[in-house]
Amino acid sequence: MQGSNENFQAIKDEILKHKDELISMPQGHSVVSDNTLTMQLSPWRKQLIEVYANSILTTPDSSKQDIEKWGKEVSGLLVQLQFPLDVGLHEISYYRNSIGEIVRDEAIRQELSITEFYSIISEFDAVVDEAVQIVSRSYMEEFHRTIEVAKYAIDELSVPVVQLTKDTGVIPLIGEIDTNRAQYLLLNALDQGAELKLSRIIIDLSGVSVVDTMVAGQIFKVMSSLKLIGIDSVLSGVRPEVAQTMVNLGIKVEGKVYSSLRKAIEHKKLVD
């Protein structure tokens, strides 16, 4: 970077001198109130302004490392607070303009040459552009990670083992059964069946509208796995259209089958 380090240091100091003012300055967000943002994002804004100010003197590589660390942290915060990506990008753009004006005014006051001014602005713009890319990328990565965690929790809750009696439980299945959900079904059946010390589990299909070879295969896999750990399993709630589909597909039903959950429970009582 050309020019006097003293001049550049003075510009950096001028930016930092306005830090508190910049942090609390209303920005006119359309999706979140300025008061909420100031309260939630003040530490983040402070770091951003410091990174921008330091870019006046530091090397491009150092500035890139600083902005990357900041960008990943703030992306996680935005997702945690459930703020849209627009909030982060708006903040970056706002401080580009505000700090750019400080740099311009200070450059005029110091009578810097066009070359010196261009050198400072180019470095500053490079850091801002890097911030936009990092925040956009990190936000989407964090957002998808959060969605996957939520989906995992929902899928896990969607195949619970409900204890009916001391030794009997039921797994009420509702909706479509895909490969992932079938895996949760297997894990939950084995883990909770063993934990609850069950000897019999009823897999109720009353809420399942479609059964194909994949679904049937996964269900029978669960039943076979349960048998290996000493738990008998039966099917209940097989509706006529589902039964017809299974026959047409040539699916061989393994184990006992009941037309309703009530009949499966009643049969257990008669046996006992």
Side-chain angles (χ1 to χ4, degrees):
M1 183 179 289
Q2 301 182 24
S4 166
N5 281 338
E6 290 79 8
N7 291 339
F8 295 157
Q9 181 65 52
I11 293 175
K12 173 184 173 180
D13 293 342
E14 186 68 16
I15 294 172
L16 295 177
K17 186 173 74 174
H18 290 83
K19 181 168 58 177
D20 292 339
E21 175 189 342
L22 290 168
I23 289 174
S24 59
M25 190 176 295
Q27 300 184 24
H29 279 279
S30 59
V31 290
V32 185
S33 71
D34 285 314
N35 288 336
T36 299
L37 286 175
T38 300
M39 181 173 59
Q40 300 281 7
L41 303 183
S42 287
W44 173 69
R45 288 176 170 178
K46 176 183 176 183
Q47 294 173 9
L48 175 60
I49 293 168
E50 289 174 349
V51 171
Y52 281 170
N54 290 334
S55 71
I56 304 298
L57 283 174
T58 56
T59 64
D61 287 342
S62 180
S63 296
K64 183 176 180 179
Q65 291 176 6
D66 291 341
I67 203 67
E68 185 169 358
K69 179 177 181 296
W70 165 84
K72 290 180 178 179
E73 290 178 355
V74 75
S75 296
L77 177 62
L78 291 174
V79 173
Q80 178 185 343
L81 296 174
Q82 298 183 353
F83 287 167
L85 177 58
D86 289 351
V87 169
L89 299 182
H90 180 92
E91 296 268 327
I92 293 170
S93 175
Y94 176 83
Y95 285 117
R96 177 204 291 266
N97 297 332
S98 300
I99 293 177
E101 291 176 0
I102 295 174
V103 172
R104 179 201 62 199
D105 294 343
E106 189 63 17
I108 293 173
R109 190 186 70 79
Q110 294 186 35
E111 298 182 345
L112 296 184
S113 68
I114 293 178
T115 301
E116 291 172 329
F117 177 70
Y118 178 79
S119 178
I120 294 173
I121 288 298
S122 294
E123 182 65 30
F124 174 62
D125 280 344
V127 172
V128 175
D129 291 341
E130 188 71 23
V132 171
Q133 293 184 32
I134 290 173
V135 168
S136 299
R137 183 175 65 249
S138 299
Y139 181 93
M140 295 310 299
E141 291 173 354
E142 187 66 25
F143 179 79
H144 286 302
R145 189 180 301 114
T146 302
I147 292 298
E148 284 302 313
V149 170
K151 183 177 182 297
Y152 178 88
I154 292 172
D155 286 340
E156 190 172 26
L157 290 172
S158 69
V159 285
V161 176
V162 180
Q163 189 169 11
L164 297 177
T165 65
K166 181 179 178 181
D167 61 354
T168 300
V170 59
I171 302 177
L173 298 179
I174 299 175
E176 296 182 3
I177 308 296
D178 57 17
T179 303
N180 288 334
R181 195 171 177 215
Q183 184 64 25
Y184 294 125
L185 169 62
L186 174 60
L187 295 176
N188 279 9
L190 293 174
D191 291 345
Q192 295 184 43
E195 182 180 345
L196 297 173
K197 297 180 180 180
L198 301 177
S199 60
R200 183 173 185 257
I201 288 181
I202 304 169
I203 300 176
D204 185 61
L205 304 179
S206 300
V208 178
S209 58
V210 177
V211 173
D212 56 18
T213 52
M214 187 279 291
V215 172
Q218 293 291 346
I219 291 174
F220 295 146
K221 181 180 178 181
V222 171
M223 297 174 72
S224 298
S225 299
L226 287 171
K227 188 175 182 180
L228 291 176
I229 63 172
I231 300 177
D232 292 330
S233 56
V234 300
L235 294 179
S236 71
V238 179
R239 294 184 295 177
E241 62 269 25
V242 171
Q244 184 176 2
T245 300
M246 294 174 71
V247 171
N248 291 338
L249 291 174
I251 297 173
K252 183 180 179 181
V253 178
E254 302 176 10
K256 296 180 179 179
V257 182
Y258 299 89
S259 59
S260 68
L261 177 59
R262 178 178 58 82
K263 289 186 176 181
I265 296 173
E266 288 178 349
H267 182 269
K268 170 64 177 174
K269 292 179 179 177
L270 291 174
V271 172
D272 292 341

